[in-house]
Amino acid sequence: MSTLHQSTPPGSSTPGSSTSVARPTTSSVATARTLAQIAVFAGLIAALGLPGAIPVMGMAVPVTAQTLGVMLAGTVLGPWRGAAAVLAFEALVALGLPLLAGGRGGLGVFFGPSAGYLAGMVAGAAVIGLIVHGVRRTRPVRPTWPRTALGCLIGGIPVIYAFGIPVQAWVTGLGLGETALLATAFLPGDLLKVILAVLVTMTLRRTYPQVFAR
């Protein structure tokens, strides 16, 4: 009496087999990619604080390059991942890491004159991403320079100022109008950062378009 042997296809495993290999699913790969992108841009924002801060006469908030990283997070990652990158960066600051320009860190900065600007950076990245990428997308985005410039101009300047100026005025005791007038000292540098963000985003679109995929 012969015994029938059932062959097992290559790469498969029988129930209970100890040699089965779990392969990553598409969703897990996408999640890992998203987390990696968020971490990279959180690191970029931190790195842009290394040159230090430029004090402005009469202002309790210095000029920094870190809002350039916020703009790029919005233009490249989109609204939700861009805002998440800023939140990740600020979470590290809250834990005490001296990642803000000038070596500042800790919970105290979220109760000082810069607190409103830190909140505005999260909102700014989201607004920039919404303008450049839209609310929902199912295919890779090819940012145009008008949308990118508009997003950075709106999300990177008035949105951040709308959070930062009232909080700064309240913390410092200065009038809202006086604080807003002093904040105009930020405008030249912020406009330069808009130009740089547009140039970098357009360069990425030509040389590495897959970075804009969902």
Side-chain angles (χ1 to χ4, degrees):
M1 184 174 181
S2 62
T3 303
L4 297 178
H5 295 277
Q6 184 177 3
S7 61
T8 303
S12 64
S13 60
T14 57
S17 171
S18 60
T19 60
S20 60
V21 178
R23 297 184 178 182
T25 63
T26 302
S27 60
S28 64
V29 171
T31 300
R33 183 175 183 269
T34 294
L35 292 175
Q37 288 178 323
I38 290 171
V40 166
F41 276 84
L44 173 64
I45 297 170
L48 286 170
L50 293 177
I54 302 174
V56 179
M57 184 177 298
M59 284 288 286
V61 179
V63 174
T64 78
Q66 290 180 306
T67 46
L68 172 60
V70 173
M71 293 178 190
L72 289 173
T75 62
V76 176
L77 299 184
W80 318 126
R81 290 181 298 172
V86 181
L87 280 172
F89 163 75
E90 294 185 1
L92 295 175
V93 172
L95 289 174
L97 296 181
L99 300 179
L100 289 176
R104 295 171 298 141
L107 283 174
V109 299
F110 294 92
F111 298 93
S114 299
Y117 291 97
L118 292 172
M121 286 163 63
V122 179
V127 170
I128 292 168
L130 285 171
I131 293 173
V132 177
H133 292 251
V135 178
R136 297 184 64 185
R137 57 187 174 88
T138 56
R139 62 185 63 185
V141 167
R142 291 182 61 83
T144 62
W145 76 261
R147 281 206 314 268
T148 303
L150 181 64
C152 291
L153 280 170
I154 295 176
I157 300 179
V159 169
I160 294 178
Y161 287 21
F163 285 81
I165 291 174
V167 173
Q168 183 185 350
W170 179 67
V171 172
T172 61
L174 293 175
L176 188 61
E178 184 179 357
T179 304
L181 183 61
L182 290 171
T184 58
F186 295 146
L187 283 175
D190 286 339
L191 291 172
L192 177 60
K193 283 178 271 187
V194 168
I195 294 171
L196 291 174
V198 172
L199 291 175
V200 171
T201 303
M202 293 299 99
T203 301
L204 282 174
R205 194 193 79 165
R206 290 193 300 271
T207 60
Y208 194 48
Q210 56 267 43
V211 76
F212 296 99
R214 180 178 288 278

